[in-house]
Amino acid sequence: MKVTLINTADAGGGAPAACMRLLKALQLQQVDVKLLVTEKKTSEPLVDTIAHSFTTRLKAKFNFFYERLPFIWFRAKDKSVRFAFSIADTGTDISNETDIANADILHLHWTNSGYLSIKNLQQILKTGKPVVWTLHDMWAFTGGCHYAGECENFISQCGNCWMLRDAGDDDLSHAGWLRKNEMLKAANNITFVTCSNWLAGVARTSNLLNGFRILAIPNPIDTSLFYPMNKTAARAKWNISQKAKIILFGAANIMDRRKGISYLVDALSNFKDNYTGTDDIEIVIFGKNKAFDTSLFPFKVYEVGTISSQADLAELYSLADVFVSPAIEDNLPNTVMEAMACATPVVAFNTGGIPDMVEHLQNGYLAEFKSADDFAAGIHYVFGTGNHNALAENARNKVLTTFTNEIVAEQYMAVYQNILNK
């Protein structure tokens, strides 16, 4: 069985991380697997790139800016949605690449930012090869947005998109929906996989994917890389107080609208104002931060910047007492799974795919959606129950019984085999 995974990149964000983990998980199960990306960023030998030369690398850069800049300049309603909507009107035809021709199964992941246009995706479907498409967000069944927020226009045919400055019945989102509808006419043998049960449920309500097979399979995690490390040693290395109670927060970009940092500011202010025993609370933050003023937090803050090393991430999770995820839209965030794998309880809003991981009062706390009061109560619960060790042990066990490389790889292998046996 030869499988080619297809993703825009092999590093830099949630989808590349999840895709690379699946690559490794499948390799461990003796699957003949490759990953085809636009521009290779790692040294992983199983990753191939379509940007083989200076000219093709230049074309890849051009495609990115050609897709992004017109949307940012003329279409986006405001700065917050500049990267929240993908037109996918430019890209590269990869249907004749060696990794495509040699594969028994093509496995699509996240292909935006100038890698594959909707036309290019249709070219892949027209190869006649079986296709699995793992959805890391909602883009495949919307007119262009990656997360729709409270909008439900994707249930019909999109249009009147709240992300566009020229919203209307026949706006850019409606045109995108029509293009995807035409693209999917070529999908004779495709299975859609979502990383969470939440996204599977949403996808089944969409007009575009109605009638297609949709399964929910989580992302895998290597529990030999993400495991509970010595807290004292980790804090010493990162110059974090040994006596403090540490709240950890992190994201690829902490100012991403979906990651909800403003809700965290409100929740922590509520926590300090309404609960006792908060004098020894400190916060550690990782991820890109271009402009957020961390002095808005009512506690001492350590910023450690962007972390690319998985070992460093595991140390950060291990030195923390609780990981907080105030995300208001998310599929199956890697950070939550990574924290739990390191036996760190999680407080998060009850939204998206997070309930697939966090079990309320068992391995963390699921707060009422967008409630700063309940989020603060969740932090107090983790610190104040006197049962922190049980929460930590349950968090690790949840990962070991649900999200390991072997468990997830076996689920995907069953999907592949089912497709090939049709």
Side-chain angles (χ1 to χ4, degrees):
M1 182 192 304
K2 294 185 177 181
V3 179
T4 295
L5 309 179
I6 303 168
N7 197 75
T8 296
D10 54 345
C19 193
M20 285 290 283
R21 289 173 185 178
L22 178 59
L23 178 78
K24 288 297 187 180
L26 292 171
Q27 181 192 26
L28 290 171
Q29 297 303 310
Q30 309 304 312
V31 176
D32 187 350
V33 61
K34 301 293 286 287
L35 169 59
L36 186 61
V37 301
T38 174
E39 185 174 359
K40 186 173 178 177
K41 299 180 180 180
T42 71
S43 59
E44 170 55 54
L46 293 177
V47 176
D48 290 332
T49 174
I50 64 166
H52 307 285
S53 63
F54 173 79
T55 302
T56 51
R57 288 193 294 271
L58 187 63
K59 182 180 185 299
K61 291 291 186 184
F62 173 82
N63 286 349
F64 171 78
F65 288 112
Y66 186 81
E67 181 190 57
R68 283 291 95 205
L69 293 182
F71 178 78
I72 291 172
W73 290 337
F74 306 116
R75 301 286 195 157
K77 186 176 182 179
D78 56 48
K79 291 181 179 180
S80 70
V81 298
R82 284 180 172 179
F83 294 93
F85 190 106
S86 292
I87 303 171
D89 59 352
T90 187
T92 302
D93 179 7
I94 65 171
S95 60
N96 293 316
E97 289 283 331
T98 301
D99 286 342
I100 302 297
N102 291 343
D104 298 311
I105 292 176
L106 303 177
H107 190 159
L108 293 165
H109 286 263
W110 200 90
T111 61
N112 297 118
S113 293
Y115 184 21
L116 301 182
S117 67
I118 293 174
K119 179 181 178 181
N120 299 145
L121 289 168
Q122 187 176 42
Q123 289 165 338
I124 289 175
L125 295 177
K126 285 183 175 180
T127 64
K129 291 180 180 287
V131 172
V132 175
W133 191 345
T134 292
L135 310 186
H136 294 274
D137 54 33
M138 297 173 64
W139 183 83
F141 56 87
T142 72
C145 70
H146 292 276
Y147 286 91
E150 297 179 359
C151 176
E152 295 184 342
N153 292 348
F154 64 89
I155 293 175
S156 53
Q157 295 189 13
C158 282
N160 293 294
C161 178
W162 65 272
M163 295 188 181
L164 303 177
R165 66 178 66 172
D166 55 351
D169 290 344
D170 296 317
D171 63 15
L172 189 64
S173 71
H174 182 65
W177 189 97
L178 292 174
R179 290 164 61 216
K180 288 177 184 173
N181 187 54
E182 184 64 27
M183 171 192 73
L184 288 170
K185 291 178 181 179
N188 296 318
N189 189 359
I190 188 169
T191 299
F192 290 94
V193 176
T194 64
C195 302
S196 68
N197 287 294
W198 161 77
L199 189 58
V202 175
R204 292 184 185 112
T205 69
S206 70
N207 204 334
L208 279 174
L209 300 192
N210 183 31
F212 287 103
R213 184 187 186 204
I214 301 173
L215 306 173
I217 300 176
N219 299 322
I221 188 168
D222 188 339
T223 53
S224 68
L225 292 175
F226 289 94
Y227 65 93
M229 297 182 178
N230 183 277
K231 188 183 295 286
T232 300
R235 289 194 180 189
K237 174 181 174 180
W238 291 88
N239 295 316
I240 305 296
S241 169
Q242 299 287 349
K243 297 180 179 180
K245 295 176 181 177
I246 299 297
I247 297 172
L248 179 66
F249 169 69
N253 178 4
I254 68 169
M255 294 185 65
D256 185 326
R257 174 189 62 86
R258 297 185 299 105
K259 300 304 179 180
I261 195 168
S262 62
Y263 293 95
L264 183 59
V265 171
D266 292 343
L268 291 177
S269 296
N270 182 297
F271 179 57
K272 183 173 184 179
D273 292 342
N274 294 290
Y275 295 93
T276 59
T278 63
D279 292 341
D280 57 349
I281 299 292
E282 295 180 358
I283 304 169
V284 176
I285 296 177
F286 67 85
K288 182 172 68 175
N289 178 15
K290 285 189 174 181
F292 183 79
D293 182 4
T294 58
S295 69
L296 294 172
F297 288 117
F299 304 109
K300 180 179 179 179
V301 175
Y302 301 86
E303 278 198 275
V304 297
T306 300
I307 306 295
S308 57
S309 164
Q310 293 188 99
D312 286 346
L313 278 174
E315 288 177 350
L316 290 171
Y317 291 120
S318 296
L319 66 78
D321 296 293
V322 62
F323 179 78
V324 290
S325 175
I328 55 173
E329 292 176 282
D330 231 327
N331 185 8
L332 196 79
N334 292 328
T335 52
V336 171
M337 190 183 297
E338 291 163 355
M340 293 175 63
C342 296
T344 301
V346 174
V347 176
F349 286 131
N350 187 359
T351 188
I354 293 174
D356 287 4
M357 298 179 286
V358 179
E359 296 175 344
H360 189 52
L361 306 184
Q362 300 302 309
N363 56 29
Y365 191 100
L366 288 174
E368 180 185 346
F369 186 53
K370 291 186 177 181
S371 171
D373 291 353
D374 200 28
F375 204 98
I379 297 172
H380 174 70
Y381 175 80
V382 172
F383 284 139
T385 61
N387 204 24
H388 190 277
N389 288 341
L391 291 173
E393 183 178 352
N394 291 343
R396 172 72 175 174
N397 286 339
K398 176 68 175 181
V399 174
L400 291 176
T401 58
T402 315
F403 305 115
T404 65
N405 280 337
E406 183 178 7
I407 291 171
V408 175
E410 286 179 352
Q411 293 179 67
Y412 268 113
M413 290 165 65
V415 173
Y416 297 154
Q417 202 61 57
N418 179 267
I419 292 173
L420 293 176
N421 290 337
K422 282 185 177 180

